[in-house]
Amino acid sequence: MAEPLLKVRNLRTYFISKNSTVKAVDGVDFEVYPGKVLGIVGESGSGKSMTSLSVMRLVPGPQGKIVEGEILLEGQDLLQLSERAMRDVRGNRIGMIFQEPMSALNPVLKIGEQIGEVLVRHRKVTKAQAKKQAVALLRSVGFPRAEQIVDEYPHQLSGGMRQRAMIAMAMACEPSLLIADEPTTALDVTIQAQVLDLMRSLKEQNGTAILLITHDLGVVAQMADDVVVMYGGQVVEAASADEIFDHPLHPYTQALMASIPVIEEERERLQAIPGTVPSAADFPSGCRFAPRCALAEERCHEQMPELREISLAHAVRCLVVQGKTDRRENAT
Amino acid sequence: MSVGAPESFEKLQTVQPLLEVRNIKKYFPITGGVLRRTIGHVKAVDDVSFTLNEGETLGLVGESGCGKSTLGRVIMRIYEPTEGTLTINGQEISHLKGEALRKLRHQFQMVFQDPYSSLNPRMSVGSLIAEPLLVNRRGSRAQIQEQVESLLAIVGLSPEARVRYPHEFSGGQRQRIAIARALALRPKLIVADEAVSALDVSIQAQILNLLADLRKEFGLSYVFISHNLAVVKHVSDRVAVMYLGRLVELAPKSKLYTQPLHPYTQALLSAAPEPKRHVARERIVLMGDVPSPAKPPSGCAFHTRCPQVMDVCRSLRPELKEHTPGQYVACHIYS
């Protein structure tokens, strides 16, 4: 396999205040390969969004801090860069799209000006050239009347159109990595299908790697090549998308898949996961999923499991699952 | 039991329906100019008819702006319909007001999407659940206290929850409180508007299971409004699909999900991402956006995006007609 484009090692992002330390991201590792989609799945409070903000170094301060780890983009550690050097990375080598295009776009700037701004900043083109390129970019994301759209304001566009304009802006400098945080969550299903199609074709045509953050297992199944499942600020399972969906191993991943209704299957009763997601300020000792886990043993409440590869490119953070494979290996 | 089976479906047709919606329209005026004169209408719900039997769940799906929430609010009589009749349990309530409406309200209750804004943050959970009982004078203080505790137990909360406030609870627990409040007066019908959409998937399953249990225990009927096709399939007996204020298809779920007739239903189903790899399915990606309900297209409102559009679709509006027993569709392809 090719060298990873983005390599995140032991990332820890904490929110430290006088009374508490919130471990939003607590020792996360993953890689994104060129031209591939890595999906990060998790529920609210799992730390998935804070992971993506950490990669862009946009963790809200002053309490939020990346306290440990490495974020290697093409071998260069982004955490060592100055704020000025980091501004040359954002929007240039890393493109970003967010869930709420209305709050991510500037409401008083025309669409064309906002896309052009990126090009003027990073590519040192003139304003006239930037506008011309903005039209071409808008056309490439599927706007038939791109010449008019450049002179329109965000409020004049529908939600799906705004999201496509955001994608055009993110792709303006042909970034090698696109970070998409819940890009279709605010959109209707038929519009979601359009945006996912567009992201897929960008990946295929430009070879852009995509870091896709979502809570929607359906979107991940459609889009991702590799999947990372997060729970309580940690990666609990990592594997190829085929592996995750066909042979999920971690009890949380399995429970998550059994808890959602599926159109293709008749499910009499959904398997709900009891309890709620733990608070990042007060994690249980031992495995963070243990209090809700049907398979939890005594040691799960005491000992924190490691994320360990138990078959080729399939890593799991679970003592019970690891114990089973160990016994099998000892037997042979 | 599947209500989708033809024989049982016909049997249910002969009994009096719990809810009858006949040609319901809800128009909102658009005002303009200095005199704030009405210059047009948003036809949020435009001539919708269906019935709901006792113990049945009807799913209502559609994208934002299709009028599904407005229809839910008309059924709840939060809005007065512009035209048409609404009958619950044999009583017409379309234009009732004040005390007359309040007397009947205990029969139909609503659960909203956002349990963060539908519960008064300054009331304790005990008083939130007791409020409908007090307003309707359902017993002495002690009796009401007892009922509150049993309602908390029914929705899976501990009796101590009574003295706490909504902000102390998670989203899923708040939705349980909202459900307990809706159940307090023992309604026959519950309209659930995106009741699980704001919840995390693992919590969503808890609430869906609770709704299913309550249905069995109290013989409830639901109108279940959602944009999520998989969730609607899970809870419903029959499903209605809405587009720009009108029903485009209405069918038992077994038929709707296996042989969808309307091109819009087909596109919606093909666009819903399934949490599975290797799903062999033809994907239909619709072009363009949903048109504004203030200026709906002529003829069939879907003709601007329909992959199978014909000339007649641009001028003539198709009626909702029974195509096969129990399956209704509004599309010229089938006439």
Side-chain angles (χ1 to χ4, degrees), chain A residues 15-27:
Chain A
F15 285 77
I16 301 162
S17 66
K18 239 190 267 162
N19 307 319
S20 67
T21 301
V22 175
K23 300 176 175 178
V25 181
D26 202 13

Side-chain angles (χ1 to χ4, degrees), chain B residues 41-59:
Chain B
H41 285 100
V42 174
K43 299 178 176 177
V45 177
D46 196 12
D47 200 359
V48 167
S49 304
F50 65 85
T51 57
L52 179 74
N53 295 309
E54 205 158 324
E56 192 188 19
T57 299
L58 179 82

Side-chain angles (χ1 to χ4, degrees), chain A residues 42-44 158 160-161 164 188-194 196-197 200 215-225 241-242 245-246 256-257 259-277 292, chain B residues 62-65 68 170 173 199-206 208-210 212-213 216 227-231 233-234 253 257 264 267-269 271-281 283-290 305:
Chain A
E43 298 181 275
S44 37
S158 69
M161 286 159 81
R164 275 186 281 151
D188 279 316
V189 266
T190 61
I191 309 300
Q192 166 170 285
Q194 293 172 3
L196 293 182
D197 254 23
R200 218 175 277 128
H215 73 285
D216 189 332
L217 287 167
V219 169
V220 174
Q222 305 300 303
M223 295 290 294
D225 298 296
D242 284 339
F245 284 95
D246 295 345
L256 210 53
M257 301 224 182
S259 72
I260 43 174
V262 177
I263 291 176
E264 305 273 319
E265 280 171 34
E266 198 54 51
R267 289 185 169 170
E268 262 305 301
R269 201 174 167 77
L270 301 172
Q271 277 179 36
I273 307 177
T276 48
V277 179
R292 305 176 72 192
Chain B
E63 297 180 280
S64 35
K68 57 188 191 299
S170 67
Q173 290 170 322
L199 307 176
D200 271 319
V201 275
S202 71
I203 310 300
Q204 175 180 298
Q206 295 175 6
L208 289 174
N209 285 342
L210 174 65
D213 293 343
K216 240 181 266 162
H227 70 283
N228 187 325
L229 288 145
V231 168
K233 180 181 177 230
H234 182 76
K253 77 165 165 194
Y257 284 87
Y264 180 61
L268 265 187
L269 281 172
E274 281 273 90
K276 294 222 168 291
R277 301 285 277 185
H278 341 286
V279 179
R281 203 165 53 172
R283 283 168 43 84
I284 310 166
V285 177
L286 292 178
M287 294 297 134
D289 289 307
V290 182
R305 302 171 77 199

Side-chain angles (χ1 to χ4, degrees), chain B residues 18-55:
Chain B
L18 174 69
L19 168 72
E20 203 174 346
V21 174
R22 280 278 156 262
N23 306 103
I24 285 289
K25 293 183 183 175
K26 179 65 195 172
Y27 292 178
F28 294 100
I30 308 168
T31 54
V34 271
L35 299 171
R36 317 294 308 156
R37 265 194 302 229
T38 304
I39 51 170
H41 285 100
V42 174
K43 299 178 176 177
V45 177
D46 196 12
D47 200 359
V48 167
S49 304
F50 65 85
T51 57
L52 179 74
N53 295 309
E54 205 158 324

Side-chain angles (χ1 to χ4, degrees), chain B residues 79-124:
Chain B
Y79 295 145
E80 189 176 345
T82 311
E83 257 179 59
T85 57
L86 194 63
T87 315
I88 287 185
N89 229 353
Q91 278 168 301
E92 202 200 313
I93 57 160
S94 335
H95 302 288
L96 286 185
K97 283 192 171 66
E99 193 55 31
L101 182 60
R102 198 152 37 239
K103 272 197 190 129
L104 296 174
R105 254 197 203 292
H106 65 91
Q107 297 183 35
F108 47 102
Q109 295 284 317
M110 191 157 185
V111 177
F112 295 90
Q113 169 170 5
D114 185 2
Y116 292 81
S117 54
S118 62
L119 297 173
N120 185 342
R122 298 168 67 160
M123 284 170 81
S124 71

Side-chain angles (χ1 to χ4, degrees), chain B residues 65-76:
Chain B
C66 75
K68 57 188 191 299
S69 287
T70 306
L71 179 56
R73 281 160 197 240
V74 170
I75 294 169
M76 286 307 299

